[in-house]
Amino acid sequence: MGLLVASEAVRARADRFDWFCETVSTDVMPVMLSTRHTADFRAGITDLDLGVVRLSALACSPVLSRRTLAHVRRGDPEHLQLALVTQGAVRISQRGNDSVVAGGLVLTDTSRPSEGACIGGQVESVVLQIPRTALALSSDRVDRLLARGMAADVGSGAVFADFLKSLLTRGPRCRPEELRGLGSVALDLAIAFLARHIGDPGEAPAEARAQETLQRIHRFIENNLGDPGLTPQVVADRHNMSLRRLYTLFGDQPLTISACIRQSRLERAHADLACGELSGQPVQVIATRWGFSSATAFSRAFREAYGMTPTEHRSLSLSSPRHAEHRNPARHAHHRASLGPRFTVAGNTAST
């Protein structure tokens, strides 16, 4: 469940299950997989990069999975996986809990040992990959939900499930900036859904509530960088707090709120200027896209941040892509390479 396989499509190969196991352990996380369907094994995956979270749909022949402490030590993305089982049934065991889930939702943690098994025929699931640090809920309470089936046909579970399925179907036609915004919505819905299951979120410690507020503010900033009117006052008003309270929240952060907005805008512009697909767009168009209304102010801020002008950076990046990747680690954070809409093993594709 939750497999994000970054590999070229393979249409037919005798060792496809062995290849599949190796690919999953290398590109997702170390795990032991087994199946009785080695000869006719089939699997498919649809993947969407949503910025702070990632969404995928997996369809595969029946498999057994086992992730031990040794696997965790070998590699851990530190994700929580919130999966909607849309076809078939799975048995999940983790942290002493054991559930059979069919048509419902289940939460697992990549940082803990786990076991899983497909029951019956092919299983299909939609999985939201959530970084542990992005959840902003009490860890102890969230841990109680691991491997416990949760309903997806009533209340917030139904809303969340419908959103995931719609996003999976329509998301591939959205622009990257739209997907990042939708990723924030998906995360907020996941938090609301899980918060209902762990109790009143108002009972969370003050520190946890402050962290959750900070993360909501960061997502709001990321989704509105193109608005030149995005200011600390706008952020404070949108989150129903005073400007003083906003400054206090950022008091122990690496950057002030204003510096955070400016750096995020520069990182996006820096990445776009290094993108060959955008080489025909004037520098000022890219600057305006990310909220810089003054060409002079943008050029000055860019030079201060990167030691060269935007034009110099673009020329250097496009003439030496490898050098550009090395110079701009932020590009990986905001523009992770898309895996493409489909991944196929043995010619079978995951349904949406």
Side-chain angles (χ1 to χ4, degrees):
M1 299 177 64
L3 306 182
L4 304 178
V5 183
S7 301
E8 296 297 327
V10 172
R11 299 197 177 277
R13 52 188 297 163
D15 63 340
R16 53 185 173 269
F17 181 68
D18 290 339
W19 169 86
F20 181 74
C21 294
E22 181 180 355
T23 302
V24 170
S25 289
T26 300
D27 295 346
V28 184
M29 61 182 182
V31 63
M32 181 185 300
L33 300 173
S34 61
T35 184
R36 296 179 180 178
H37 302 269
T38 303
D40 60 346
F41 183 78
R42 294 173 179 269
I45 194 164
T46 299
D47 180 79
L48 280 177
D49 184 352
L50 303 175
V52 66
V53 295
R54 208 172 186 96
L55 183 69
S56 61
L58 174 70
C60 68
S61 300
V63 295
L64 300 177
S65 68
R66 187 165 182 253
R67 181 164 163 82
T68 66
L69 279 174
H71 290 125
V72 174
R73 287 192 291 267
R74 280 170 50 197
D76 181 16
E78 298 182 358
H79 284 172
L80 289 166
Q81 300 178 335
L82 186 53
L84 171 68
V85 181
T86 56
Q87 178 179 314
V90 295
R91 180 184 295 278
I92 296 293
S93 300
Q94 188 171 60
R95 197 179 179 267
N97 299 329
D98 186 275
S99 300
V100 175
V101 182
L105 288 148
V106 64
L107 185 71
T108 55
D109 185 353
T110 66
S111 299
R112 294 176 180 272
S114 63
E115 294 186 3
C118 301
I119 299 176
Q122 176 169 294
V123 167
E124 298 183 10
S125 61
V126 183
V127 187
L128 191 68
Q129 301 274 347
I130 308 171
R132 218 3 157 149
T133 55
L135 198 56
L137 292 172
S138 168
S139 295
D140 290 341
R141 292 191 174 190
V142 169
D143 287 347
R144 298 173 195 168
L145 299 180
L146 296 177
R148 292 186 179 277
M150 296 173 281
D153 56 353
V154 294
S156 58
V159 173
F160 179 62
D162 288 346
F163 180 78
L164 291 187
K165 289 184 283 190
S166 177
L167 182 56
L168 193 68
T169 301
R170 304 178 186 278
R173 294 188 289 276
C174 294
R175 298 188 302 273
E177 57 270 25
E178 291 179 309
L179 289 176
R180 287 191 292 270
L182 292 170
S184 295
V185 174
L187 178 58
D188 287 341
L189 287 174
I191 290 173
F193 169 71
L194 294 173
R196 185 182 71 82
H197 281 272
I198 64 176
D200 183 359
E203 296 178 5
E207 182 178 348
R209 295 199 300 271
Q211 186 63 27
E212 180 180 359
T213 301
L214 269 173
Q215 291 177 0
R216 284 194 289 108
I217 289 172
H218 280 297
R219 293 198 297 272
F220 176 77
I221 290 172
E222 290 296 310
N223 292 334
N224 291 275
L225 289 174
D227 180 3
L230 180 64
T231 64
Q233 186 65 63
V234 169
V235 175
D237 292 344
R238 180 59 183 269
H239 292 83
N240 300 311
M241 65 177 65
S242 68
L243 193 59
R244 180 177 180 179
R245 169 60 178 158
L246 179 65
Y247 288 147
T248 299
L249 274 175
F250 275 78
D252 59 352
Q253 298 297 298
L255 298 174
T256 65
I257 176 83
S258 297
C260 177
I261 294 172
R262 182 172 60 254
Q263 176 173 294
S264 295
R265 284 172 166 164
L266 285 170
E267 288 176 349
R268 295 294 181 83
H270 189 282
D272 280 1
L273 287 168
C275 179
E277 296 178 357
L278 302 179
S279 60
Q281 295 188 5
V283 170
Q284 186 53 35
V285 170
I286 290 175
T288 301
R289 176 183 302 136
W290 296 115
F292 292 97
S293 55
S294 167
T296 301
F298 171 64
S299 183
R300 181 172 59 251
F302 195 96
R303 180 188 285 273
E304 290 176 355
Y306 297 106
M308 64 180 73
T309 68
T311 301
E312 290 170 343
H313 164 62
R314 166 176 271 180
S315 177
L316 181 62
S317 298
L318 298 182
S319 64
S320 178
R322 181 174 298 179
H323 181 70
E325 293 285 346
H326 176 71
R327 291 276 302 206
N328 185 18
R331 184 178 182 189
H332 298 287
H334 293 293
H335 294 268
R336 288 178 289 183
S338 173
L339 304 184
R342 291 281 176 179
F343 159 77
T344 307
V345 176
N348 186 57
T349 306
S351 66
T352 59

